[in-house]
Amino acid sequence: MSFHPIEQAPGRLNRSELAVPGSQPQMFEKAADSDADVIFLDLEDAVAPDEKLQARKNIIKALNEIDWGRKSMSIRINGLDTHYMYRDVVDIVEQAGERLDLIMIPKVGTAADVYAVDMLVTQIEDATGLKKRIGFEHIIETALGMQNVHEIAAASKRNESLHFGVADYAASTRARTTVIGGVNEHYSVLTDPDGDGNRQTHWGDMWHYAISRMVVAARANGLRPLDGPFGDFSDPDGFKAAAYRAAVIGCEGKWAIHPSQIALANEVMSPSKDEVDRAERILKAMAEAEAAGKGAVSLDGRLIDYASIRQAEVLVEKAKQISA
Ligand code: GLV
Ligand code: MG
């Protein structure tokens, strides 16, 4: 290991993160009864300008009055370039800070953006005597945010997670798509002709680089990486495919922009029984190997070594966290 220690963010379960517009209070009870691990009550892009102030009031009331159970509660504040943002933070943290676990900062672009919100939240926490420290979730969804993702990830002790906001990221990078997430037939490779002259098209994942880059920044700073929205809520298979792609490269969760996506995200982001069984067998085999003075052995015809222990521990710890 490097001599540089990585401090891990609080181990919060974050397989699914349900987006609920703050302007739609009739949706709150159903969200509270859902199986989402984290809920963010939105003040930003799902709320029209005329509804911003009422949405803020709705959220304060809901955080104070609704039983949200063991869920982690977040608010997505408006961007730092709007005049709504400071009151989103001041009013909600002052009036409902006890039940608030996280603040989600959209379109974060620089470490200084994080610093600004941190200063504000710290003052309010100190002034109101809040005991629990509110964590930060950052949406990486602009070219600037992606360029500075490492500095953003390291910018505050409050940081807990980075989220890939595919829709705004597409707009900011001028990607040629108008759908939220998913794949694009034009991001593909055409194979050379085979012996019969046939060619095939293989679709690629146009978001691979962006998500991978964000995963590295998150993990190098002890944060959770999450994949953001998948807009077509009538396509569960498409959602699961996107979630699996994110999960296999290290994401811990995915947004649900519709209640039907919660179970899908929870399923994909939980290690399967087979994966956990194999991880436990690896740990057992390596314990036996070590007792016999060996550092590497074979299991089911494949090499396992000390790195296998670390891989297996990730899965076993996640399974324990889910069943806790
Ligand atoms: C999320 O905020 C997105 O822009 O995809
Ligand atoms: Mg966005």
Coordinates of all heavy atoms in Angstrom, one line a residue, residues 7 20 34 85 105 239 320:
E7 N -8.9 7.8 3.9 CA -9.9 7.8 4.9 C -11.3 7.5 4.2 O -11.6 8.2 3.2 CB -10.0 9.2 5.5 CG -10.5 9.2 7.0 CD -10.4 10.6 7.5 OE1 -9.3 11.2 7.5 OE2 -11.4 11.0 8.0
V20 N -37.0 12.6 -5.8 CA -38.4 13.0 -5.6 C -38.4 14.5 -5.7 O -37.8 15.3 -4.9 CB -38.9 12.6 -4.2 CG1 -40.3 12.9 -4.1 CG2 -38.7 11.1 -4.0
S34 N -40.9 3.3 0.5 CA -40.2 2.5 -0.5 C -39.0 1.8 0.1 O -38.7 2.0 1.2 CB -39.8 3.4 -1.7 OG -38.7 4.2 -1.3
M85 N -29.9 29.1 -4.2 CA -29.1 28.1 -3.5 C -28.8 28.5 -2.0 O -28.9 27.6 -1.1 CB -27.8 28.0 -4.2 CG -26.7 27.1 -3.6 SD -25.5 28.2 -2.9 CE -24.9 27.3 -1.5
I105 N -24.9 18.5 -4.2 CA -24.6 19.8 -4.9 C -24.5 19.5 -6.4 O -23.7 18.7 -6.9 CB -23.2 20.3 -4.4 CG1 -23.2 20.5 -2.9 CG2 -22.8 21.6 -5.2 CD1 -21.9 21.0 -2.3
F239 N -32.3 -0.4 -18.1 CA -31.9 0.2 -16.8 C -30.9 -0.8 -16.1 O -29.8 -0.4 -15.7 CB -33.0 0.4 -15.8 CG -32.6 0.9 -14.4 CD1 -32.6 2.2 -14.1 CD2 -32.2 0.0 -13.5 CE1 -32.3 2.7 -12.9 CE2 -31.8 0.4 -12.2 CZ -31.8 1.7 -11.9
K320 N -22.7 -8.0 4.3 CA -23.0 -7.8 5.7 C -23.7 -6.5 5.9 O -24.6 -6.4 6.7 CB -21.7 -7.8 6.5 CG -21.1 -9.1 6.9 CD -20.0 -9.0 8.0 CE -19.3 -10.3 8.0 NZ -17.8 -10.1 8.1

